[in-house]
Amino acid sequence: MNPWMVAPILIPALLAPLMLLFLRHRLTASRTLSLTACLVLLAVAGLLLGQASNGEIQVYAMGDWMAPFGIVLVLDRLSAMMLVTTALLALAVMAYAVVSGLDRKGWHFHPLFQFQMLGLNGAFLTGDLFNLFVFFEVLLIASYGLMLHGGGAARLKAGVQYVVVNLVGSTLFLVAVGLLYGATGTLNMAHMGERVAQAPAGDHALILAGGLLMVAVFGLKAALVPLHFWLPRTYASTSAPTAALFAIMTKVGAYCILRFTTTTFGAGAGELAWAPGPWLLPAAVVTLVLGFIGVLGARHLRKMAAYAVIGSMGTLLCALAMFTPESTAAALYYLPHSTFTAAALFLLVDVIAARRGDYGDTLAPSPPFAQAGVLSGLFFLTAIAAVGLPPLSGFPGKLLILDAVRGSPGGWWVWGGILGTTVISMLAFARAGSAIFWKSAATEGEVKAGKPVAPNASAAIIAALLAALVVLTIAGGPISAYVNATAAQLYDLQAYPDAVLAQSRGAR
Amino acid sequence: MSIEFLVASAVGVLSAAGIYLVLRGRTFPVVLGLAFMSYAINVFLFASGRLVVNQPPIYGKDVAAYTDPLPQALVLTAIVISFGMTALVVVLSLRTFLEAGTDQVDGAGEIDAEAEIAGEGPASDLPVRRDVEAKP
């Protein structure tokens, strides 16, 4: 067993209580430790990506209890890719939180951040459905703290809604787990896949109900219409670094839909094979369209960024819902792009709002403000990425998705949706950019804004996130080869269960 | 009446009450609703291992029938988590009521966002704790 596999869970699990207990009043020490932890997590994730890229699925049995009796961690190409994306995003977000001084606006930012990393990394690595629930709870509890960090009445009110919605979601998760356990008698995802394949026809309805309920819970996390209502208000009310970090939280939902469906409702499941697909696809297309209409209709930049998250989740889920290797590969290429773009957008909006003083993030011209030149350049690039125009990675991402869904049933709906929303979002971003930068330059007067906090460092962090998109574009060849191999591994009927259940099969 | 009927009706009644209360507009009924729903789920999870009366939970060579111990472990985890979450949501609603001056969760009775920023929200008799700056 590879001990490095537990490191992404163990490092934050050890650091968070340490910071909570001993570093409460030591901001510099907390910051140093937090940034170091993010770097170490990135290094470990890179190492694991290197190990996973040869196609071997590694399994770590906790306490050496073999699957399906014990809980296992599973590292395959998909998990490794998600770990690297999370670590990169976390590093940028933590750096921004430190330079913008968000971590001073209340206690416990750093421990909460580490708990969040613990939950995220755990959710990407676990091979057990109930363990996934536990990691979901860990990341949600940490996210409640982060979402409310900094306080304020508006944020608290949005926070109550966010917490209540997610508590109901957790309850449904347990119902789904109970149904699936009752019908299959196992919680290990690979084992459950085998049991579903062998299930008598009489149990199919029960399994289907449990499975679809599970997908609905993941859809809630992924902001799938009609379960998206919590997202705009939450993301627009919380602090920018938290919203940027939450860009990966919606992807956890997408990841879980993909992982759960391929292991449990895979091609081997007979008449239950790919059962969530027909339900997901229409919802995903509506998500895509509604999201970008929201972008066009938003009157504040923060709301706009939040709706852009919904729109890009729609794009991603359209491709996922097809459940073909090509479309999954395209979705996996689009996933890091969508994550980094959303994060860059939230951070940039925060900087713009701070420079505009009282005008904040409203889509109305203000008098000229500091750093307008740099910020307009960054906004232009981020908008290109969010709309999905060349030369940044949104364009090849959308192109791959369009190409992959061409022959599939419902493919034309996806074509119409993606092409139509590209036009809509282009309009929306062009209008926002011209209102905030062009018209502001021509407006008389002066904005009353406080002294900028670390103006160059903030801009550099956003530029670094955009640079990640450039890397995604330039290294498109190797990355698409990797995501193609990932999709092939996911659609390989035997690879995952064979690796996970090898030990117990050997024992028989 | 069978034990199955008893458990099933308990789950049904608890979930119905929970769903009704969660859909109310103020925090107190919503919190109660969440508690009801988590009770319903605990009973439901317990039943997912099949209802067996008077059998040992531990597997042995000479034991022919036994009760499934796993759902009990799951329920224990679920109880701990839902207990913690209920505590959190109670404190959060209280704090929100003190800061925002309203316990509406459905958006009704919304204070204007501008008024909130300017500190013109409805006054509350109770002391409001402002954010504390962490000392470097």
Side-chain angles (χ1 to χ4, degrees):
Chain A
M1 286 195 289
N2 175 8
W4 286 106
M5 275 176 65
V6 266
I9 299 175
L10 217 52
I11 293 169
L14 291 175
L15 277 182
L18 182 79
M19 289 183 189
L20 196 62
L21 294 174
F22 302 112
L23 299 177
R24 249 187 97 167
H25 302 287
R26 298 188 191 155
L27 194 60
T28 322
S30 296
R31 286 176 168 181
T32 320
L33 204 57
S34 249
L35 281 171
T36 318
C38 287
L39 281 171
V40 171
L41 280 179
L42 182 59
V44 171
L47 178 80
L48 293 176
L49 182 77
Q51 291 178 354
S53 60
N54 67 3
E56 189 197 351
I57 298 178
Q58 299 192 57
V59 178
Y60 188 96
M62 303 300 267
D64 214 9
W65 286 88
M66 60 183 166
F69 308 109
I71 290 169
V72 286
L73 301 181
V74 186
L75 177 79
D76 62 355
R77 288 195 177 104
L78 178 62
S79 306
M81 184 190 133
M82 297 304 295
L83 288 179
V84 171
T85 311
T86 312
L88 275 173
L89 179 75
L91 185 62
V93 169
M94 179 46 80
Y96 186 89
V98 167
V99 299
S100 69
L102 173 77
D103 55 345
R104 296 165 58 106
K105 295 217 171 107
W107 307 103
H108 308 320
F109 179 81
H110 294 287
L112 283 171
F113 194 90
Q114 295 302 327
F115 276 126
Q116 178 85 66
M117 295 308 291
L118 163 68
L120 287 168
N121 289 341
F124 293 140
L125 280 172
T126 187
D128 184 277
L129 214 50
F130 197 78
N131 198 227
L132 181 66
F133 167 75
V134 174
F135 280 122
F136 255 67
E137 287 305 305
V138 172
L139 74 87
L140 283 174
I141 294 169
S143 80
Y144 302 152
L146 285 176
M147 194 261 152
L148 296 165
H149 188 83
R155 193 168 294 174
L156 277 166
K157 287 182 73 183
V160 172
Q161 291 177 346
Y162 175 64
V163 172
V164 169
V165 163
N166 277 299
L167 285 182
V168 176
S170 303
T171 314
L172 290 180
F173 197 135
L174 283 176
V175 178
V177 166
L179 281 174
L180 287 171
Y181 180 76
T184 62
T186 181
L187 289 168
N188 182 291
M189 285 194 265
H191 196 215
M192 192 178 281
E194 294 197 336
R195 289 282 178 89
V196 168
Q198 299 158 2
D203 280 356
H204 279 182
L206 203 57
I207 293 171
L208 190 62
L212 290 181
L213 200 55
M214 195 64 103
V215 170
V217 174
F218 298 146
L220 176 73
K221 311 288 179 226
L224 185 72
V225 170
L227 305 167
H228 69 293
F229 291 102
W230 59 275
L231 190 140
R233 196 164 172 190
T234 306
Y235 281 39
S237 308
T238 186
S239 58
T242 309
L245 184 66
F246 281 11
I248 195 77
M249 298 259 289
T250 44
K251 272 63 178 188
V252 176
Y255 163 84
C256 289
I257 289 177
L258 181 61
R259 170 70 80 205
F260 175 72
T261 311
T262 50
T263 51
T264 310
F265 289 97
E271 59 179 280
L272 287 176
W274 313 120
W279 295 85
L280 269 178
L281 186 63
V285 174
V286 178
T287 310
L288 168 68
V289 173
L290 272 189
F292 282 115
I293 288 178
V295 172
L296 188 65
R299 296 172 62 187
H300 292 83
L301 278 176
R302 280 200 185 97
K303 274 268 161 70
M304 213 172 134
Y307 277 107
V309 169
I310 299 184
S312 77
M313 281 315 290
T315 315
L316 183 64
L317 290 168
C318 275
L320 276 187
M322 293 293 179
F323 291 115
T324 62
E326 297 78 31
S327 67
T328 304
L332 291 178
Y333 180 85
Y334 189 76
L335 189 145
H337 158 82
S338 149
T339 312
F340 297 142
T341 308
L345 194 55
F346 277 113
L347 297 182
L348 181 62
V349 167
D350 188 50
V351 178
I352 293 173
R355 299 289 174 275
R356 277 161 48 103
D358 291 345
Y359 289 87
D361 64 337
T362 47
L363 280 182
S366 70
F369 48 93
Q371 267 195 310
V374 181
L375 292 181
S376 64
L378 287 175
F379 186 82
F380 184 56
L381 290 174
T382 315
I384 284 178
V387 176
L389 295 177
L392 289 178
S393 50
F395 180 67
K398 284 191 173 177
L399 210 59
L400 282 171
I401 292 177
L402 291 179
D403 187 44
V405 303
R406 213 161 12 128
S408 310
W412 293 112
W413 284 99
V414 178
W415 269 68
I418 289 183
L419 294 178
T421 55
T422 303
V423 176
I424 295 178
S425 57
M426 192 154 61
L427 271 176
F429 277 99
R431 195 189 56 173
S434 65
I436 286 175
F437 296 103
W438 270 357
K439 290 184 186 161
S440 289
T443 310
E444 302 274 314
E446 211 173 301
V447 290
K448 278 184 239 142
K451 196 170 164 286
V453 184
N456 295 330
S458 315
I461 290 165
I462 297 162
L465 278 171
L466 293 175
L469 300 183
V470 175
V471 171
L472 263 179
T473 320
I474 293 175
I479 290 174
S480 58
Y482 183 87
V483 292
N484 281 328
T486 309
Q489 194 177 43
L490 285 171
Y491 285 85
D492 184 343
L493 274 183
Q494 285 310 313
Y496 190 88
D498 278 355
V500 173
L501 302 173
Q503 219 182 343
S504 60
R505 280 179 185 159
R508 251 179 240 153
Chain B
M1 268 195 283
S2 64
I3 185 167
E4 281 80 8
F5 178 79
L6 191 67
V7 170
S9 57
V11 172
V13 170
L14 282 172
S15 343
I19 290 167
Y20 176 77
L21 286 172
V22 160
L23 296 175
R24 302 272 82 198
R26 295 180 158 236
T27 48
F28 184 67
V30 169
V31 172
L32 279 187
L34 287 171
F36 268 118
M37 278 173 79
S38 71
Y39 294 150
I41 298 318
N42 292 341
V43 179
F44 176 78
L45 270 184
F46 187 77
S48 73
R50 304 296 184 272
L51 297 165
V52 183
V53 180
N54 212 11
Q55 297 294 341
I58 297 164
Y59 179 74
K61 287 241 159 59
D62 49 343
V63 180
Y66 59 100
T67 179
D68 191 348
L70 190 70
Q72 305 183 17
L74 302 186
V75 171
L76 208 56
T77 316
I79 288 175
V80 173
I81 291 178
S82 68
F83 184 70
M85 294 321 300
T86 310
L88 178 103
V89 82
V90 166
V91 172
L92 182 61
S93 344
L94 197 62
R95 175 90 189 265
T96 310
F97 177 63
L98 293 180
E99 288 226 359
T102 168
D103 62 347
Q104 294 279 356
V105 282
D106 54 354
E110 196 92 302
I111 323 165
D112 212 19
E114 281 80 36
E116 270 177 49
I117 293 163
E120 291 161 5
S124 145
D125 300 339
L126 296 158
V128 173
R129 195 171 143 242
R130 292 283 162 215
D131 306 311
V132 272
E133 277 281 293
K135 288 193 194 82

